[in-house]
Amino acid sequence: MNRKFKWITAIVAVSCIALVAGCSSADKKASGGGKESVAVVLKTLSSPYWKYVEAGAKAAGKEFGVDVVVVGPSAESEVIQQVNMLEDQISQSPDAIVVAPTQPETVVPVLETAAHSDLPVLLIDSDADFDGKTSFIGTENQTAGMEGGKLLASMLQKGDKVVLISGALGNPATDERIKGAKEALKKAGLEVVAEQPGDSDKTKAMSVMENILQKNGEVKGVFAANDDMALGVLRAVESKGLDIKVIGTDGTKEAVESILDGKLSGTIAQSPYNMGYQGVENALKVIKGEKIDKRIDSGIDIITNENAEEKLEFLKSISK
């Protein structure tokens, strides 16, 4: 009986310690003494664009004293891998989560569960419609595509034939970019002779463009839904010795360098660094009880040879 009493006393003591520790941690965070944590789940970490988002998120974490964890699958096509990563990050109980959903309809059930448990959910780059969403930070992908289409059209003549290279099938961000570009190109009187997916991959886009050129030798311009695909398209064009204007999207360092070399004609940058930075910055505001806007515009840059040098200097500074 005495031994049983001792065991009960020990269990109660441990429970009290754990309770006190938990309360102390909560009190510490409430008083500003703790370090807030933000999980950032991206579409991938294998491309320059998402590396810039990661750099922005980590810069904000360093500036504001926030623990920031950034994860992403091996490729944008790995949708289920992203879902698994999202579930894993949520299970670790961060104070807020920032997500760039590859396929919103696939991740929404997980995000809804998180939001219902009072976890702030902020979306960047690609929006999704669900109850409990805290905010969307980014730009409208359709608007970015439209600006790309307008830029390409300004370099061509009415009636010229153009090609659209989209991302992985079902990727809403690249789909919306293509939609916007197509609208602008048709409005300018250009003829879209082909629209093919390049899966946001340089090699795949090169192969796709080579096949398109075999059937359409009079193509004058191409809009690609990201820079990796634009650079792949450029390889195919250069191998044929053709003069075709190629516009990309994302404003990556390699793309900007290509513009300065007189190869790529331009790119539309959706300020990925700003998305990552503002995602963490606004997540911290929410954690502290502040109200933020439901939609936050991270801005668009139209990059040509006229401003590419300035953009390149900025990209070099955040890549260090």
Side-chain angles (χ1 to χ4, degrees):
M1 190 72 165
N2 202 19
R3 175 181 287 182
K4 185 176 180 181
F5 177 77
K6 287 181 179 179
W7 274 109
I8 292 173
T9 303
I11 292 171
V12 171
V14 170
S15 300
C16 288
I17 291 170
L19 182 61
V20 170
C23 291
S24 298
S25 176
D27 290 342
K28 186 180 180 183
K29 186 165 286 187
S31 64
K35 199 166 187 180
E36 293 83 359
S37 62
V38 176
V40 180
V41 183
L42 304 180
K43 294 181 182 180
T44 184
L45 284 175
S46 65
S47 75
Y49 177 86
W50 295 107
K51 287 293 184 182
Y52 297 147
V53 178
E54 178 185 24
K58 288 186 173 179
K62 184 177 181 180
E63 181 173 343
F64 299 114
V66 179
D67 279 328
V68 175
V69 175
V70 183
V71 298
S74 56
E76 287 193 32
S77 56
E78 297 293 340
V79 179
I80 301 304
Q81 189 180 357
Q82 187 189 45
V83 172
N84 292 337
M85 286 180 165
L86 184 58
E87 291 175 335
D88 178 61
Q89 290 303 312
I90 291 172
S91 71
Q92 296 180 45
S93 302
D95 294 305
I97 190 157
V98 176
V99 187
T102 301
Q103 285 187 0
E105 67 275 13
T106 307
V107 301
V108 159
V110 181
L111 298 178
E112 285 180 334
T113 301
H116 289 157
S117 64
D118 294 328
L119 176 66
V121 178
L122 292 81
L123 301 185
I124 59 173
D125 183 75
S126 298
D127 201 3
D129 185 20
F130 68 95
D131 293 336
K133 175 178 63 181
T134 305
S135 180
F136 167 68
I137 301 168
T139 54
E140 299 296 342
N141 283 293
Q142 186 172 345
T143 302
M146 193 171 293
E147 292 298 333
K150 288 178 182 178
L151 181 60
L152 180 58
S154 71
M155 301 174 179
L156 303 175
Q157 301 294 321
K158 187 175 181 179
D160 282 348
K161 295 180 179 180
V162 295
V163 169
L164 298 171
I165 303 297
S166 59
L169 293 174
N171 184 325
T174 50
D175 286 350
E176 287 296 307
R177 291 174 183 177
I178 292 297
K179 182 179 178 181
K182 185 188 293 185
E183 182 180 337
L185 291 167
K186 287 188 173 181
K187 188 175 181 179
L190 299 171
E191 181 185 355
V192 178
V193 295
E195 180 181 336
Q196 295 290 331
D199 292 351
S200 297
D201 180 79
K202 195 179 295 180
T203 303
K204 175 71 179 291
M206 178 180 175
S207 177
V208 167
M209 191 63 198
E210 286 173 341
N211 293 333
I212 290 174
L213 289 174
Q214 287 179 356
K215 300 176 182 178
N216 299 278
E218 297 180 0
V219 171
K220 298 296 182 182
V222 180
F223 172 80
N226 83 353
D227 282 340
D228 276 351
M229 293 189 293
L231 292 166
V233 166
L234 191 62
R235 287 180 184 176
V237 169
E238 289 178 331
S239 69
K240 296 283 186 181
L242 299 173
D243 180 19
I244 296 176
K245 304 298 182 184
V246 181
I247 302 295
T249 322
D250 285 344
T252 64
K253 180 172 175 284
E254 188 178 2
V256 176
E257 288 174 336
S258 181
I259 292 171
L260 287 171
D261 289 339
K263 296 179 179 181
L264 200 65
S265 300
T267 181
I268 308 301
Q270 290 185 268
S271 304
Y273 181 88
N274 289 350
M275 288 184 200
Y277 186 96
Q278 292 176 9
V280 172
E281 179 184 28
N282 284 281
L284 179 59
K285 289 180 180 179
V286 175
I287 292 168
K288 292 184 174 181
E290 298 178 33
K291 288 187 177 181
I292 63 172
D293 293 336
K294 285 290 185 181
R295 298 188 74 81
I296 299 170
D297 189 352
S298 56
I300 289 179
D301 288 330
I302 299 172
I303 305 171
T304 64
N305 57 3
E306 294 179 0
N307 61 350
E309 188 66 50
E310 180 184 351
K311 185 68 176 180
L312 182 59
E313 289 304 313
F314 171 72
L315 294 176
K316 285 180 178 178
S317 72
I318 65 174
S319 299
K320 292 177 181 179

